Amino acid sequence: MEAGRARLAVLLFAGSTLLLALGGVLWLVDSRDAADVLWLVGTAGGLAVALASTAGAVRRHRPTVDVIALLALGGAIAVGEYFAGAVITVMLATGQLLDARADARARRELRLLLERSPRTARRRVADGLVEVSVDEVATGDTLLVRTGEVVPVDGRLLTPATLDESALTGEPLPVEQPAGGTARSGAVNAGAPFDLLATAAASESTYAGLVRLVEQAQAASAPFVRLADRLAVVFVPLTLLLAGGAWALTGDPVRAVAVLVVATPCPLLLAAPIAYISGLSRATRVGVVIKGGGALERLAAARVIMFDKTGTLTRGRPQLVGTVMAGGDLTADELLRLAASLDQMSPHVLATSIVSAATARGLDLELPTEVVEEHGYGLSGTVGGRQVALGKRAWIVPDPAPAWAQRARRRASLDGSMTVFASVDGEAAGAFLLEDVIRPDAPRMVHGLREAGIRRVVLVTGDRADTAETVGRIVGTDAVNAECDPGEKLAVIHAEREADVVMMVGDGVNDAPALAAADVGVALAARGATASSEAADVVLTVDRVDALADAILIAQRSRRIARQAVGIGMGLSLLAMAAAAAGLLPPAAGAVLQEGIDVLAIGLALRAVLPGRTHTVTLPHADVVMGHELRAQHEASLVVVEEIRAVADQISTQAPDLVPVRGLLDRLRTVLLTHEHADQAQLVPLVARALGAPATYALTRTHAEIEHQVGRLGRLLGDIPDEGAQPEDMVEVRRLLYGLYGVLRLHNAQEDETAHSLLPPAEASRLVSSRPPAEPRA
């Protein structure tokens, strides 16, 4: 339908322009009758299009300025002003063409949802397995779901399973389900093959319901009234009153036609679409695709914004954020190197995170041998002659769990992290903590949205309430709605829409219904197209959510310029209408004058393609290079930050030992403080140049506090003899270390949000795609 409309607009524009031009040539060679015939044909074509457009608006019960063009074209034919009619047709065709391009919105197809839907299932029968259509699965059937396959129907697990439910809940971390647990259709088997007892048919299962939600949300989406149509409520009656008055007072229908000709609302039909197309072009340059002028108008009008959490305010993939060591001679770096070497053979999402973290640290990985996967437990193999195993605590650490293992599980529970335990040569060696961390640019983006006019920021997610509340506090939302399924997200959106224009931002299949239901749906598609990008009005093609604040500023500026161009154009048209009513402008001269007004309105509208105020800060090339270098040093220093907590955790008042603390102090001075001094000398001025000096005050203060705390630790250790440390000495050392660790976590979060988020998207993505095992965030 959209393609047909675009083709019709092109044909009308080409045909009407050709007829007008050929008629002009014939008129110049004194073939005026032939010229009138061509202009009459052009006028008749415009009349047919205006009639169809007006009839469509009447059917939809919507106001339209096309009724003026309809009357002007009909009047031009009635009084024999064919040239004026042909000019009006060209203006109308130009508006139709630009409007079709500006409002050409991508179809909100369910193609990706449907493509992802399972077509077949493997049903267990007496003599083995048989592959059947998913529609043939009945309640009570036993199915086999192999690794990597989508669960075909809702069911109960007959064997344990590891499920990736991100398509349903948005939660990126796999879920371990025991035998007897439930599995929903649409989840992906992220572990070993498992058996499933079907508890629902395919048409009644979760994924089919998700598809229906998208369809219903699309059907319920209310149309958005265009600027031109809104102004038509006032402009059309005014025009008819003026034209009718001129005819009634003078008895000359030509005057009425002249009024209608100059009243043809081409500034409305041309200026607004041109300003919007220019705005769409500007948005594309910052990595935001806005699907048409209607979407741009709604984006500019949005005052409430709702975010999904996973992949939107957070990275959307687990990252290594901490390591808890069991003790012994093995260092955290060496344990990570061994684990990552083994995990190179595993496609598991957590294995990818561990390998990425080791690569980011520059550790040399080896190819493992004798790799064996214990389904449901973990992975084992040989790395450089050492036996390495990774997996669940129960498989790696025998009961009763030692203190370090309990500490790791407690930290994971408090932070909403997952754990991967590791053993080396048969001895438990440590545990890795993995977490979906907050995007560094998310807090700045929320501030930018508020500056752009967003009055309310809401987090709506299927994740746990405690995790969602933490994210909401850090990024600065006004409300948090947690543990919401797709249907509950729709209910929240409908409630918010009662008060204002609502924008929904999401990433993933599970967000598609909410994006389709909101006034403006925004999808993040930097890592590939999903059903959410099909359902969205706006698509971010860069992996930076702060580009959304730029898109809103661009949309608001484009709408403002469109209104200015329309206002000036229509003001001049009103003056011309008064002149025509007074008999000073015949229809032909009025048509030419109207073309001049159109050119002026178009020129004003084209200002939208010029750069305007944006939220994103563009750094000079030299600052970008320096920022990358400092960011690499920052990543390296995070190893020392993690060591602070590890050393503090191992301090004992029963057997005081200051050797690890003294070694840590040496690394704090040579690695950490060296980096902090470089940051103060180079990064702080960089931020000041980009954001202004006040943005650096907190960074400077924490740099001073870090150096102060390291100095206090040095003085304390200097007062304690190597032999004969007392329990109260160890308590004081541990207190200082935990305090320093807390300051560094906050400081690293400040650097991420204030400085590192300024780096260009491609480079920033490359540098932070894999976070090393430290805990830099609160």
Side-chain angles (χ1 to χ4, degrees):
M1 180 177 178
E2 294 292 340
R5 181 191 172 196
R7 284 195 297 270
L8 180 62
V10 171
L11 290 174
L12 177 64
F13 175 76
S16 61
T17 303
L18 181 62
L19 289 171
L20 179 63
L22 289 176
V25 172
L26 292 174
W27 189 85
L28 290 174
V29 298
D30 210 22
S31 297
R32 300 194 175 184
D33 291 340
D36 282 342
V37 170
L38 293 180
W39 289 336
L40 175 60
V41 172
T43 303
L47 182 64
V49 171
L51 181 61
S53 177
T54 303
V58 170
R59 284 196 305 272
R60 295 190 300 270
H61 304 288
R62 293 176 63 180
T64 177
V65 292
D66 292 337
V67 67
I68 299 177
L70 176 64
L71 294 174
L73 289 165
I77 292 175
V79 299
E81 294 285 350
Y82 304 133
F83 171 75
V87 173
I88 294 172
T89 298
V90 171
M91 291 188 291
L92 181 65
T94 305
Q96 292 271 356
L97 180 62
L98 292 171
D99 195 43
R101 292 187 60 188
D103 288 337
R105 301 176 63 182
R107 291 178 178 270
R108 294 176 173 181
E109 300 172 355
L110 303 178
R111 176 175 52 83
L112 292 180
L113 277 173
L114 296 175
E115 285 179 357
R116 191 178 180 279
S117 299
R119 300 286 190 272
T120 61
R122 291 174 178 81
R123 183 165 58 196
R124 288 196 182 275
V125 294
D127 55 351
L129 290 172
V130 58
E131 187 169 307
V132 299
S133 168
V134 71
D135 295 326
E136 298 178 24
V137 175
T139 302
D141 284 349
T142 299
L143 309 176
L144 174 66
V145 182
R146 298 190 298 193
T147 302
E149 290 183 344
V150 178
V151 178
V153 297
D154 292 352
R156 186 170 65 250
L157 294 169
L158 301 178
T159 55
T162 302
L163 300 175
D164 175 4
E165 296 184 336
S166 58
L168 303 175
T169 67
E171 173 53 47
L173 302 178
V175 177
E176 302 283 351
Q177 291 281 17
T182 59
R184 294 184 289 175
S185 63
V188 177
N189 182 6
F194 62 83
D195 285 335
L196 180 76
L197 180 67
T199 58
S203 60
E204 302 169 352
S205 292
T206 301
Y207 201 71
L210 184 60
V211 174
R212 286 193 295 271
L213 280 173
V214 176
E215 293 172 331
Q216 294 164 5
Q218 290 173 336
S221 294
F224 194 81
V225 181
R226 298 177 306 161
L227 172 64
D229 296 332
R230 295 197 299 274
L231 293 179
V233 175
V234 175
F235 188 71
V236 170
L238 177 62
T239 300
L240 297 179
L241 181 63
L242 189 57
W247 189 356
L249 292 175
T250 65
D252 184 3
V254 175
R255 287 199 183 188
V257 172
V259 171
L260 293 173
V261 168
V262 295
T264 303
C266 290
L268 280 177
L269 297 174
L270 299 179
I274 287 175
Y276 292 162
I277 289 175
S278 301
L280 302 183
S281 175
R282 287 298 312 167
T284 301
R285 297 180 189 181
V286 299
V288 181
V289 176
I290 303 175
K291 298 179 181 178
L296 185 141
E297 280 200 53
R298 295 194 298 276
L299 183 63
R303 292 297 176 266
V304 176
I305 188 166
M306 307 182 69
F307 286 98
D308 178 49
K309 178 185 74 71
T310 303
T312 305
L313 297 179
T314 64
R315 286 287 182 192
R317 52 185 180 268
Q319 296 183 14
L320 195 56
V321 295
T323 304
V324 177
M325 299 298 296
D329 297 332
L330 201 64
T331 66
D333 268 359
E334 179 61 13
L335 180 62
L336 177 60
R337 189 189 72 82
L338 294 172
S341 297
L342 177 61
D343 263 340
Q344 292 178 104
M345 299 293 103
S346 173
H348 197 283
V349 62
L350 299 184
T352 302
S353 300
I354 292 174
V355 173
S356 297
T359 303
R361 276 202 196 173
L363 302 179
D364 294 326
L365 306 186
E366 303 178 51
L367 283 177
T369 58
E370 302 174 1
V371 178
V372 177
E373 182 177 358
E374 298 287 342
H375 292 312
Y377 292 97
L379 193 71
S380 63
T382 302
V383 178
R386 309 194 72 171
Q387 295 297 316
V388 181
L390 301 170
K392 296 180 178 178
R393 185 199 62 80
W395 191 53
I396 299 294
V397 182
D399 288 324
W404 72 267
Q406 295 177 15
R407 187 166 62 249
R409 295 304 296 268
R410 183 170 58 252
R411 286 175 58 181
S413 176
L414 291 173
D415 297 337
S417 307
M418 290 194 70
T419 53
V420 175
F421 284 81
S423 69
V424 178
D425 294 331
E427 295 291 332
F432 301 108
L433 304 178
L434 299 107
E435 186 180 325
D436 184 21
V437 300
I438 296 172
R439 289 174 176 267
D441 56 329
R444 287 190 67 244
M445 180 266 301
V446 170
H447 294 314
L449 290 173
R450 296 192 189 280
E451 292 175 359
I454 296 297
R455 291 192 285 262
R456 181 169 167 81
V457 180
V458 180
L459 175 60
V460 54
T461 177
D463 206 354
R464 292 172 9 194
D466 55 349
T467 302
E469 291 284 354
T470 299
V471 173
R473 281 193 299 271
I474 292 174
V475 302
T477 62
D478 297 305
V480 175
N481 295 273
E483 300 178 8
C484 295
D485 61 27
E488 291 169 333
K489 287 184 180 181
L490 289 184
V492 175
I493 288 174
H494 291 317
E496 294 287 347
R497 284 185 66 185
E498 293 179 1
D500 224 323
V501 178
V502 172
M503 183 190 322
M504 174 68 194
V505 186
D507 171 37
V509 175
N510 65 297
D511 298 317
L515 297 181
D519 295 300
V520 187
V522 181
L524 275 71
R527 296 189 219 118
T530 66
S532 64
S533 59
E534 298 286 339
D537 305 290
V538 179
V539 179
L540 272 62
T541 59
V542 293
D543 196 20
R544 289 177 66 99
V545 291
D546 61 352
L548 180 58
D550 286 343
I552 293 176
L553 290 173
I554 290 170
Q556 291 174 346
R557 180 171 180 267
S558 299
R559 185 180 64 169
R560 184 169 59 253
I561 289 175
R563 289 176 172 177
Q564 291 171 355
V566 166
I568 293 173
M570 296 311 295
L572 293 175
S573 292
L574 287 172
L575 293 176
M577 288 163 60
L584 302 176
L585 271 178
V592 175
L593 177 61
Q594 184 62 45
E595 283 286 9
I597 294 174
D598 293 344
V599 171
L600 176 62
I602 289 171
L604 293 173
L606 284 173
R607 291 180 300 142
V609 82
L610 301 175
R613 181 175 71 93
T614 59
H615 168 75
T616 301
V617 176
T618 302
L619 298 177
H621 177 71
D623 283 356
V624 171
V625 172
M626 182 170 61
H628 294 163
E629 293 173 353
L630 293 173
R631 180 61 189 270
Q633 296 174 18
H634 171 83
E635 297 287 348
S637 70
L638 294 179
V639 180
V640 182
V641 175
E642 181 187 0
E643 188 181 355
I644 295 172
R645 179 161 182 170
V647 170
D649 286 344
Q650 294 172 3
I651 287 178
S652 171
T653 57
Q654 304 299 321
D657 183 8
L658 290 176
V659 174
V661 184
R662 296 188 189 279
L664 171 63
L665 177 62
D666 181 63
R667 285 183 288 279
L668 289 173
R669 288 168 170 168
T670 58
V671 177
L672 182 67
L673 288 185
T674 299
H675 169 64
E676 299 303 334
H677 291 158
D679 274 354
Q680 183 62 34
Q682 297 175 287
L683 188 66
V684 168
L686 184 156
V687 174
R689 289 191 294 271
L691 302 178
T696 67
Y697 295 162
L699 289 177
T700 297
R701 178 66 184 88
T702 49
H703 284 153
E705 183 64 23
I706 290 167
E707 187 161 11
H708 173 61
Q709 293 296 333
V710 173
R712 290 185 66 199
L713 178 63
R715 289 192 296 274
L716 176 61
L717 293 181
D719 290 339
I720 303 174
D722 291 335
E723 301 292 338
Q726 301 302 309
E728 56 270 21
D729 296 329
M730 305 308 294
V731 170
E732 183 65 15
V733 170
R734 183 164 54 193
R735 186 187 65 80
L736 272 177
L737 290 179
Y738 282 141
L740 176 60
Y741 178 73
V743 171
L744 282 165
R745 279 175 58 99
L746 179 59
H747 172 64
N748 289 336
Q750 289 174 331
E751 281 196 351
D752 272 347
E753 296 169 14
T754 306
H756 301 151
S757 63
L758 299 176
L759 294 175
E763 293 298 329
S765 175
R766 177 180 65 81
L767 285 169
V768 302
S769 59
S770 302
R771 176 172 295 283
E775 293 191 9
R777 301 186 189 278

